[in-house]
Amino acid sequence: MTSQNQAPDFSYDLFYTTVNAYYRTAAVKAAIQLGVFDAVGEDGKTLAEIAQVCRASPRGIRILCRFLVSIGFLKNAGELFF
């Protein structure tokens, strides 16, 4: 008799995705609360311009925007983020 309640095999991909889902959610939430997406607009802005519009730390905006690029919520071309 085979039990249908057996746990599936362990998956590193599933574990990694699940553990890091919090970071993705927190980054998007922070970007929305700071107004990063509104600041970037359709034409794009530099990190300094985004930080100024959001009234946030340039270092924090740099880290946040680069993470948003890495997960696909922003794009980067040279100095501009859009």
Side-chain angles (χ1 to χ4, degrees):
M1 180 183 267
T2 304
S3 174
Q4 293 183 3
N5 292 331
Q6 291 180 351
D9 292 337
F10 180 79
S11 166
Y12 287 104
D13 290 336
L14 177 60
F15 178 77
Y16 180 80
T17 302
T18 302
V19 169
N20 287 302
Y22 172 78
Y23 298 117
R24 292 171 175 252
T25 304
V28 173
K29 181 179 178 184
I32 291 169
Q33 289 176 337
L34 289 169
V36 169
F37 299 117
D38 294 329
V40 168
E42 292 182 18
D43 297 330
K45 296 240 183 329
T46 65
L47 290 172
E49 292 170 329
I50 297 168
Q52 183 177 14
V53 170
C54 294
R55 289 186 246 147
S57 152
R59 180 177 181 265
I61 290 294
R62 175 179 46 86
I63 293 166
L64 178 60
C65 287
R66 288 187 177 164
F67 184 71
L68 291 170
V69 167
S70 75
I71 63 174
F73 281 89
L74 286 179
K75 293 184 180 180
N76 177 246
E79 296 285 318
L80 291 178
F81 287 78
F82 55 96

